[in-house]
Amino acid sequence: MRAYHLALLVLAIPGVPLGLLYWFTRPAPHTWVIALVLVGVAALLAAGVLEKVRRTVQASPAALPVPERLTAALQLGSAPGVPFLVGCSSFHDGLTWLGCWAVALMAYLLGRQRILDLSRK
């Protein structure tokens, strides 16, 4: 679980100051189409990571060794991290920001569940 949180923090920590810096330049808000596309892309990327780790875990009939568990946890950290970063870059547009962070929250909870499943295996 610690590796999962550290991998997420590596992506999330630079996102907030960079997003604030971009927001201070006062960019124009996105159209609703662009907002939906950005949220959709963030959701697809998060789903892809979650699915890849799920397949890796299911492919192993026995318990995964520690290095493979650590690798899976680090990979899972990018599932909520990428939508979080996209949301940070969209602080200026509330719809995109909230949508991406909602995707990040869902990906975080699903990734956390996968980590708990890994620890039981």
Side-chain angles (χ1 to χ4, degrees):
M1 189 63 81
R2 193 175 316 149
Y4 175 59
H5 288 130
L6 286 174
L8 174 58
L9 284 175
V10 164
L11 291 171
I13 287 175
V16 174
L18 290 173
L20 287 173
L21 182 65
Y22 183 63
W23 180 58
F24 286 130
T25 64
R26 302 197 190 269
H30 299 138
T31 64
W32 65 272
V33 173
I34 292 173
L36 287 176
V37 167
L38 287 171
V39 172
V41 167
L44 283 173
L45 291 171
V49 170
L50 291 168
E51 179 61 19
K52 179 186 179 301
V53 172
R54 185 191 67 78
R55 285 184 186 176
T56 302
V57 171
Q58 283 186 342
S60 176
L64 286 175
V66 173
E68 281 79 6
R69 285 189 208 176
L70 183 60
T71 300
L74 292 173
Q75 288 173 345
L76 281 171
S78 65
V82 171
F84 184 85
L85 284 173
V86 174
C88 287
S89 70
S90 302
F91 278 155
H92 65 285
D93 185 66
L95 179 64
T96 309
W97 172 64
L98 288 174
C100 287
W101 279 20
V103 169
L105 177 63
M106 288 186 289
Y108 171 79
L109 294 173
L110 289 170
R112 187 174 187 278
Q113 185 59 45
R114 295 262 159 83
I115 294 293
L116 293 174
D117 291 344
L118 275 174
S119 66
R120 285 186 223 130
K121 197 168 189 184

